[in-house]
Each structure stands twice: as structure tokens, then as C-alpha cells.
Amino acid sequence: MKKEAKIIAVANQKGGVGKTTSAINLSAALAKKKKRVLLVDSDPQGNASSGVGVAVKKNDNHLYQAYTGEIPAHNVIIHTETPHLDIIPTSIDLVAAEIELISLPNRERRLFSLLEPIKTHYDYIIIDCPPSLGLLTVNALTASHSVLIPMQCEYFAMEGLAQLVSTIRSVKKSFNHDLYMEGLLLTMFDKRNKLTHQVAEEVSRHFNKQMFKTVIPRNVRLSECPSHGQSIFDYDSVSSGAKAYLDLADEFLKNQRN
């Protein structure tokens, strides 16, 4: 019997925290380590899709068609230019799926069901969630084994985290008893900034054992690479951002073995 992929949701309802950047570059880092990775772009903004060089056109098949059952998930998978990394892309049409899901039976388990037939094709499936706690995020959490939460090192970092943790607990109780927190990831870390260290200390006090030791630095190359449709490894493999995401992949893989 083939081993099934581990599924990780990358979630935070607060925008601008490095969520999509982390989903793309952790996926690419794992792929560089010869892991078979599927990135699922579940954010209607489609930034994960464009961030790996996949431009979804109006008539293309993408996650919306898989959600509605028009076509199976394996028919919307696209190979990226990064070896071992595939993507299920999305477009703004996915907004309609969230509305249409409301009236459907088992609406929280649609993503779980559409990923089921392709789990054995990959080592890891990483879902980039939208910056909200709506049905698309609930579907991602229901389909996942764990959730990774990127947090920006800024004054309002803790704001909304309690709500996200509450949503995770609700999904765990109602739809996915095995869901757990993969870890909190501090992003946009500026070691010269006193506030950055204060935020990191406060997060550590509340979530010490659930924090990744790796932090993602504030790095202009990380900001630039999505507009070129490249991961940080293709755009600038010697940047501090590239090193950080490789370190994160190493820490992530080590945690899977423990």
C-alpha cells in the first residue's frame, strides 16, 4: 500500500503576514530536497499560482472546477518549472465556490474528498489558505493533518491569533479530530528592530513549544520574487530568504521524524 501525503494548511486570517510567500517557498524548499510536493492554491487572489509562474486564464481549469465536481483534481494539476513541485492553481472564480458550498451537503469536506484520490502521488500537500476564516479555510483545515501559522513580527501580531486558534479547535472537534498545530512561523524578522524582538518574546511566552526555531528575515528578494513568477531559490538562491526557507524545510522534516 502506497504511503499517503501529509497535508499542511498554511493559514492566518490576517493578510500581509507572509502566508503565501511561506507556502510557495516551503513547498519549493521541500521539492529541492527531492520530496514530491503539491501546492494547492486555495486563495481566490491566486498569488501562489502566479508566484510559481502559473498564470490562470479565464477558460483554464483550476481549483474551482475541482471543488464543484466538474473535473477530478488530477486534471487540474500543473507541473511547475521546479522539479518535484506541482500546483493546483486557482483564480478569482474560487470566490463563487465559497458561496455555492453553503447549500451543499458535507460542505466542509469537499477539499478532503477531491484530494483523496491523489494523496499517494505526493509526499506533502501544502494548502495556501485565503486570509479569512470562511468555508475555504475550514475546508483546508478539515482536509489537513496540521496547520502552519505564519506571523509577522509587528505590534498586532497577536491580534486575531486567538480567533484562528479557536477556529482550529472547532474544526478539530467537529470535522477533523487529528488536526494539530505544525508550528508558528515568525516572518519579516528584522533583528535590528527592538519591536521585532519584543513581539518574538511575547509569542514565545504563549506558544514556546509550538514555535519554529527558524525565523524568516525581512528580505527584499523575498518581496521581489513573486512578481517574477519564481520561488526564492530560482530568483536568488544565495539570499538570506533562501537560506531561511531551506532551514525551515530542514526543521520541518526533522519534526516529522521525531
Side-chain angles (χ1 to χ4, degrees):
M1 185 175 175
K2 282 189 177 181
K3 185 180 177 183
E4 292 188 346
K6 178 174 182 179
I7 305 177
I8 306 101
V10 181
N12 192 328
Q13 79 275 24
K14 197 173 187 306
V17 299
K19 176 183 59 62
T20 298
T21 296
S22 294
I24 290 172
N25 291 304
L26 175 58
S27 297
L30 291 170
K32 280 182 71 68
K33 295 179 182 297
K34 303 292 191 293
K35 303 298 182 184
R36 298 167 302 158
V37 183
L38 176 66
L39 177 60
V40 179
D41 189 353
S42 190
D43 183 347
Q45 295 175 88
N47 291 335
S49 302
S50 60
V52 295
V54 175
V56 178
K57 301 181 182 67
K58 188 172 180 60
N59 296 322
D60 288 346
N61 294 324
H62 48 81
L63 184 58
Y64 172 75
Q65 281 84 1
Y67 250 116
T68 57
E70 290 177 44
I71 49 177
H74 67 261
N75 282 358
V76 297
I77 293 172
I78 294 175
H79 303 303
T80 73
E81 293 187 6
T82 299
H84 311 297
L85 176 59
D86 293 346
I87 185 168
I88 292 182
T90 199
S91 79
I92 196 65
D93 291 351
L94 193 62
V95 170
E98 188 142 35
I99 298 166
E100 292 166 18
L101 282 170
I102 293 171
S103 60
L104 296 177
N106 295 317
R107 58 189 181 184
E108 299 87 0
R109 297 178 64 84
R110 301 287 287 194
L111 186 57
F112 175 91
S113 298
L114 72 89
L115 292 178
E116 191 69 24
I118 57 175
K119 284 180 182 177
T120 57
H121 301 173
Y122 297 96
D123 298 307
Y124 296 101
I125 297 175
I126 295 179
I127 306 170
D128 183 34
C129 298
S132 71
L133 294 178
L135 266 175
L136 291 175
T137 296
V138 170
N139 263 269
L141 295 175
T142 302
S144 297
H145 296 96
S146 65
V147 54
L148 187 156
I149 305 173
M151 286 185 62
Q152 185 179 355
C153 293
E154 60 160 26
Y155 183 72
F156 294 110
M158 301 293 285
E159 187 180 89
L161 183 58
Q163 189 180 3
L164 176 56
V165 170
S166 176
T167 299
I168 292 169
R169 285 175 180 156
S170 296
V171 170
K172 181 180 175 74
K173 182 179 179 181
S174 301
F175 310 115
N176 185 358
H177 301 314
D178 297 323
L179 181 67
Y180 67 95
M181 195 181 296
E182 189 70 44
L184 282 162
L185 175 66
L186 296 181
T187 64
M188 304 178 197
F189 194 96
D190 185 352
K191 61 184 179 183
R192 300 164 299 178
N193 188 317
K194 184 179 178 182
L195 178 61
T196 293
H197 292 280
Q198 290 174 341
V199 170
E201 287 169 14
E202 183 174 354
V203 175
S204 181
R205 275 200 303 273
H206 289 87
F207 297 97
N208 183 29
K209 292 181 180 178
Q210 294 171 307
M211 285 177 63
F212 284 101
K213 294 182 176 65
T214 304
V215 297
I216 307 302
R218 188 175 289 279
N219 176 232
V220 67
R221 309 301 271 173
L222 278 174
S223 303
E224 292 171 349
C225 61
S227 64
H228 294 267
Q230 295 179 318
S231 75
I232 190 61
F233 307 106
D234 292 323
Y235 185 66
D236 188 347
S237 62
V238 297
S239 65
S240 61
K243 182 183 184 304
Y245 277 107
L246 281 174
D247 289 345
L248 176 64
D250 284 334
E251 184 178 355
F252 171 85
L253 291 171
K254 182 181 177 184
N255 290 344
Q256 310 314 303
R257 295 192 293 267
N258 292 341

